[in-house]
Amino acid sequence: RRIFQSYSATAGNIEVSIASEARGSDGCGCDYPSYVSRDVVARSDAIVKQLGQEAGGMDPELLFWLRGLRPFTNFCIGGARVAIMHGDPHSLSGWSLAVENLETSPEEFRRRHGSQKFPTTTLRDAYDWMRAANADMFACTHTCLPFAQRIHHGPARSFKAIFNNGSAGMANFSGESFGLITRISESLDVPRASLYGCEIRGEQGSVARADCLPVRFNHREFVDWFLKIWPEGSAAHTSYFKRITSGPSNYTIQDANRL
């Protein structure tokens, strides 16, 4: 209880789904694009339905807090304007900021993810969305894979960027096990653990620094805990166990770093 009273938080589609009166029975609310298989969608719906059933026994105060979370929030950090969202600027669970939908992703990469026919987000699109939101940076998540993309449009030395952290509690790169968070600071010093990062320079000359940092934890203990709740054959095991133990296939830090 002290945690949710002490920190700012925003809603994701899972929080909205399990805290609703339907308790997740209406689906996960992930709004998966058409290139995601029906089996993945069905498993996600099953996972959230089970989470919703568990939420029925939650502290009513916690449920009330979940229902009050905003889908977006804004911070001014070091004078840079940061828009924090779960999905994209248009939707709580939007996919226009998924790495496979960026114009900077090679055609082979998009084809591997099945997204080559999905609308492409150009750097110009992203810049225009940031201008409309009065933001110098988008910090997002939701779409499974992490990345950081610098946006080059705009006045000279005005560097906008998108940072997607992928997952804080699950592996993000092939052969790795750590989670990721996006750190945004008014200090321009590069954190020792930074995997990649850049300065965010607003149009008025304001500066902040954003970095992707690993979240390291006792992986063996986490796997044991996961298997107790989601044993082999369960929806979550089928969808996530391989990623938890060995990371997503064919995705590296170099793929994510577009700065």
Side-chain angles (χ1 to χ4, degrees):
R1 184 171 299 173
R2 289 196 303 271
I3 292 175
F4 72 76
Q5 290 175 342
S6 302
Y7 294 91
S8 297
T10 56
N13 55 287
I14 303 302
E15 288 79 13
V16 170
S17 295
I18 68 173
S20 70
E21 293 298 328
R23 292 286 193 275
S25 61
D26 291 339
C28 67
C30 302
D31 288 343
Y32 284 114
S34 58
Y35 56 83
V36 175
S37 76
R38 292 183 179 180
D39 288 342
V40 169
V41 176
R43 289 196 299 268
S44 294
D45 288 345
I47 292 166
V48 172
K49 184 177 181 179
Q50 185 167 336
L51 292 176
Q53 292 169 350
E54 295 295 324
M58 290 172 65
D59 184 330
E61 186 179 352
L62 180 55
L63 278 174
F64 178 79
W65 175 75
L66 283 174
R67 291 170 182 154
L69 293 177
R70 299 167 55 193
F72 304 95
T73 192
N74 297 284
F75 288 95
C76 187
I77 301 174
R81 300 159 301 185
V82 180
I84 298 175
M85 61 201 71
H86 184 72
D88 66 27
H90 315 291
S91 170
L92 175 71
S93 49
W95 287 74
S96 64
L97 298 183
V99 66
E100 66 268 21
N101 294 325
L102 298 181
E103 70 169 342
T104 54
S105 290
E107 183 65 22
E108 187 278 331
F109 181 87
R110 285 172 59 82
R111 189 163 47 249
R112 192 185 334 141
H113 288 268
S115 64
Q116 68 271 25
K117 295 182 180 180
F118 196 78
T120 301
T121 297
T122 67
L123 298 186
R124 181 78 235 187
D125 291 334
Y127 177 78
D128 289 344
W129 296 340
M130 288 184 182
R131 287 295 301 273
N134 193 30
D136 300 311
M137 174 181 171
F138 285 161
C140 58
T141 184
H142 180 59
T143 56
C144 304
L145 293 177
F147 73 90
Q149 175 70 62
R150 183 172 289 189
I151 308 300
H152 294 284
H153 291 284
R157 297 187 58 77
S158 174
F159 304 135
K160 297 178 182 291
I162 305 166
F163 273 71
N164 186 319
N165 76 302
S167 173
M170 189 165 56
N172 290 273
F173 301 118
S174 302
E176 301 289 356
S177 61
F178 52 81
L180 296 174
I181 58 171
T182 300
R183 174 189 184 266
I184 310 164
S185 174
E186 62 183 11
S187 170
L188 302 185
D189 295 336
V190 180
R192 182 177 301 177
S194 177
L195 299 177
Y196 48 80
C198 69
E199 293 182 6
I200 309 297
R201 293 183 179 271
E203 294 178 12
Q204 305 304 317
S206 51
V207 185
R209 182 171 177 89
D211 288 275
C212 172
L213 301 183
V215 179
R216 303 187 186 278
F217 48 86
N218 187 320
H219 189 252
R220 182 69 259 168
E221 186 176 298
F222 171 67
V223 169
D224 291 344
W225 172 84
F226 179 88
L227 289 173
K228 289 178 182 177
I229 302 172
W230 303 103
E232 187 174 355
S234 67
H237 189 283
T238 302
S239 285
Y240 295 115
F241 190 70
K242 185 176 180 180
R243 173 166 173 169
I244 287 171
T245 54
S246 56
S249 61
N250 298 316
Y251 196 70
T252 67
I253 293 174
Q254 289 71 32
D255 292 320
N257 183 5
R258 289 131 188 261
L259 299 172

